[in-house]
Amino acid sequence: MTEEPYRWLEAIENRREYVREQIKSGSPVFAASLPDGILLLGVGTGNSKVFELFDRHALAGLGHPADMEKIRQAAIDAAHLEAFTRAPEDVSLRRLVSFGLSPQLKTHFEQIFSAPFLVELLLAEVAAEPGHDLLFRLHFDGAFQYETQGIVLAAGLPDPEKAAHEWLRRNAAGKTEKRDLVDLLLQAWWCLIESKSFSENPPTEDERRAGWRAAVNGKVVEIGWLARKSPRLARFEMLTLAQIGL
Amino acid sequence: MSDPAPIAGDFLSLLAAHQVPPVRGDVSLSAPIQTQATTVFAFHFADGILMAGDRRATAGNVIVTDRVDKVIEIDAASLLAIAGVPATAFEMARVLQTSFEYYRRSQLQPLSLPAKVRALARLLRENLPMTMQGVGVVMPLFAGLDHATTPARAKIYFYDPLGAQFHAVGYAASGSGSGTIRSILSFQERHGEPKPSEMKLPHAVQFALRLLMVASEFDSATGGVNPETRTFATIKVLRAGGVEAIEAEQQAEFLRA
């Protein structure tokens, strides 16, 4: 009986295990704040990992495609309604996540007789100046953290995600060119999907580079770019590896 | 019975689901003196479409402002030029801007040109009660890229106040100064050298500015162009690569050439 508190806790824990089991092999996604904008990266099938949400906002995620689509659509609906009823400048990622997406995810996760969302998400908002960007890490249970600079990532399991985050924090220092950063993110992506260690006997740089080159064969490297300065309102564009010189 | 779900990618049905009506006005027996905006036109030049408008808004015999932008970028592949009552026209532009971007982002593909053309027709039809009262009449021009062909072709459309849409082969004009503009464009296209459709950008911009100068001589509601007071037009061009605004400095340079 789920009305009993310990049963409910057990049921929630079971759901957490179920969700993690379902998405543990998902292809990780990344977002990085650079001087000229925010770069989002995922490896998928095209239009499957990285998406434009609004003028200055984008989403990257892993998980079940149907759940990703529901979240993406909810975010786009909310952003455009806000822009129309107020102004495009009033669309804020902080409000979108904390008052919109996060409560929805938490409610779905805790309603134990309905299916939870099988997603792990990154959301980004580019600001006028570097250091004021918003990079949100939104979890399947509605919990979220955010940073205003640096790199964030979403992977299927928390420990490898944390290890990759620390490795990227160390290795991305000073990298401001898209080409260098995408190369590094794809190295981290390859280590994560191949379950390589980031600390004990990690692969060499050449191995990592050769690894991601081979692993993306037949897949689409989805690179989203939110430009910090642009004459157009819509700052988002999709880039290819060739466009950034890789 | 529950309300029907919004149509996928249709921003107007999303607004309806949230009970946020777009362009809508209440019926009134006595129309106020309306702010109006006049003389916009578009023609094909060698690289695409040039769309231009004067910057004057009037209410009766009063000049409200000489700083209105009547040519509006709706998205990266379409332009709207407004003639009529700005209060309604600007709201229509805002609805179109949000609708087109909403569709593109939610459906992961851009709206086709025929759908964009009809979206504006739909707004005009919804404005019919206001139009019938003589309040809020809008007669816009629309230019968009047709991606059904390769390379994408820019096309011009004009409308009547009831929402009928017409494809303009060479040019279109709207507003109180449009008669003058149409006459000159027709003459130039038939007998001119070069024809507007053969002009390069600097020549096309110069031609557009001169068109507005002439229109303003015959129509007090058209603001015209005066380099001495740095009063220029709003000019935007639509090419296969997208939209480009021709700023005042560039207009001054082309006019001097």
Side-chain angles (χ1 to χ4, degrees):
Chain A
M1 296 298 286
T2 52
E3 302 89 71
E4 298 169 45
Y6 73 92
R7 294 270 195 195
W8 191 80
L9 288 173
E10 191 181 340
I12 288 292
E13 196 49 43
N14 286 345
R15 280 168 83 80
R16 198 175 295 280
E17 280 177 26
Y18 164 71
V19 174
R20 290 211 167 120
E21 182 62 27
Q22 292 296 309
I23 60 178
K24 70 178 182 187
S25 57
S27 177
V29 291
F30 305 82
S33 173
L34 291 171
D36 297 340
I38 296 176
L39 188 140
L40 298 100
L41 182 142
V43 181
T45 55
N47 280 340
S48 67
K49 308 295 285 183
V50 178
F51 304 98
E52 179 182 14
L53 291 181
F54 194 66
D55 292 351
R56 296 172 293 114
H57 306 87
L59 163 81
L62 63 98
H64 195 289
D67 288 341
M68 280 280 294
E69 189 53 30
K70 282 183 194 164
I71 298 290
R72 188 181 77 84
Q73 197 64 54
I76 288 175
D77 285 1
H80 287 77
L81 277 170
E82 173 78 2
F84 186 77
T85 50
R86 295 192 175 91
E89 291 78 6
D90 292 302
V91 178
S92 117
L93 192 56
R94 196 185 302 268
R95 292 170 58 235
L96 197 61
V97 171
S98 54
F99 306 148
L101 299 180
S102 168
Q104 281 184 52
L105 284 167
K106 184 174 187 297
T107 302
H108 269 270
F109 180 66
E110 291 179 347
Q111 281 178 348
I112 58 176
F113 292 113
S114 65
F117 280 108
L118 305 177
V119 287
E120 290 286 3
L121 303 163
L122 299 176
L123 295 104
E125 174 184 283
V126 70
E129 300 295 332
H132 297 278
D133 290 337
L134 280 175
L135 303 172
F136 271 83
R137 173 71 176 90
L138 180 59
H139 301 265
F140 60 83
D141 60 359
F144 62 85
Q145 303 85 37
Y146 72 87
E147 300 192 15
T148 55
Q149 55 193 337
I151 297 175
V152 293
L153 73 143
L157 291 170
D159 290 342
E161 179 179 315
K162 190 177 172 195
H165 196 193
E166 284 170 7
W167 183 83
L168 281 169
R169 207 190 296 258
R170 285 195 309 273
N171 288 277
K175 285 189 168 38
T176 56
E177 294 297 323
K178 290 191 197 92
R179 182 182 190 280
D180 298 338
L181 195 72
V182 167
D183 177 43
L184 190 74
L185 295 179
L186 284 168
Q187 290 178 38
W189 170 81
W190 177 73
C191 289
L192 282 166
I193 62 160
E194 292 293 329
S195 303
K196 304 287 185 190
S197 171
F198 286 95
S199 51
E200 291 175 18
N201 299 320
T204 64
E205 187 172 346
D206 286 345
E207 285 170 335
R208 293 193 303 264
R209 198 163 279 146
W212 78 250
R213 284 281 186 195
V216 301
N217 205 6
K219 298 189 173 79
V220 179
V221 179
E222 299 176 22
I223 304 168
W225 176 246
L226 282 168
R228 198 172 302 287
K229 291 190 173 24
S230 167
R232 298 183 46 75
L233 285 174
R235 309 292 182 83
F236 185 87
E237 65 176 319
M238 291 299 289
L239 303 173
T240 62
L241 283 176
Q243 279 176 299
I244 58 170
L246 277 171
Chain B
M1 258 177 61
S2 60
D3 292 332
I7 300 164
D10 183 33
F11 186 64
L12 291 182
S13 69
L14 181 69
L15 287 179
H18 288 263
Q19 297 182 334
V20 182
V23 187
R24 179 184 287 179
D26 292 329
V27 174
S28 162
L29 290 176
S30 57
I33 295 175
Q34 301 163 68
T35 305
Q36 296 192 328
T38 22
T39 308
V40 290
F41 57 92
F43 62 84
H44 285 273
F45 73 108
D47 301 336
I49 284 170
L50 182 147
M51 191 175 259
D54 76 304
R55 303 191 64 189
R56 174 166 292 178
T58 56
N61 63 342
V62 176
I63 297 169
V64 177
T65 174
D66 268 331
R67 286 289 178 271
V68 181
D69 286 329
K70 302 175 194 172
V71 181
I72 301 164
E73 180 179 342
I74 299 297
D75 65 9
S78 41
L79 290 171
L80 179 74
I82 58 168
V85 175
T88 314
F90 284 132
E91 193 64 1
M92 285 181 180
R94 212 165 68 87
V95 172
L96 292 180
Q97 282 170 331
T98 316
S99 299
F100 293 178
E101 289 295 68
Y102 175 75
Y103 182 89
R104 184 179 64 79
R105 287 168 178 145
S106 65
Q107 305 303 302
L108 300 171
Q109 65 179 48
L111 204 58
S112 68
L113 181 59
K116 288 179 177 178
V117 170
R118 283 179 205 134
L120 178 53
R122 180 177 166 186
L123 291 179
L124 290 167
R125 276 197 302 276
E126 285 176 7
N127 191 45
L128 190 57
M130 302 289 279
T131 303
M132 295 300 284
Q133 291 181 85
V135 185
V137 179
V138 178
M139 289 177 65
L141 305 177
F142 186 84
L145 287 178
D146 188 356
H147 289 284
T149 60
T150 308
R153 260 186 71 203
K155 292 182 175 175
I156 303 169
Y157 293 86
F158 60 100
Y159 295 76
D160 74 7
L162 305 185
Q165 70 229 16
F166 305 95
H167 179 211
V169 177
Y171 57 85
S174 188
S176 57
S178 61
T180 309
I181 300 276
R182 268 202 297 267
S183 301
I184 301 171
L185 277 166
S186 176
F187 178 88
Q188 190 73 19
E189 193 62 49
R190 285 186 186 191
H191 311 292
E193 188 61 44
K195 300 178 191 306
S197 56
E198 294 165 347
M199 292 176 181
K200 294 291 181 193
L201 181 68
H203 194 174
V205 171
Q206 186 187 59
F207 180 58
L209 292 167
R210 288 176 175 170
L211 282 174
L212 280 173
M213 285 174 167
V214 174
S216 67
E217 285 180 23
F218 297 98
D219 175 35
S220 62
T222 296
V225 171
N226 187 349
E228 287 174 13
T229 57
R230 311 258 329 132
T231 305
F232 290 95
T234 306
I235 299 181
K236 292 191 167 79
V237 294
L238 181 64
R239 301 185 180 97
V243 173
E244 183 192 352
I246 309 297
E247 304 297 346
E249 294 75 21
Q250 241 181 320
Q251 292 181 35
E253 185 187 321
F254 290 150
L255 193 60
R256 277 195 303 269

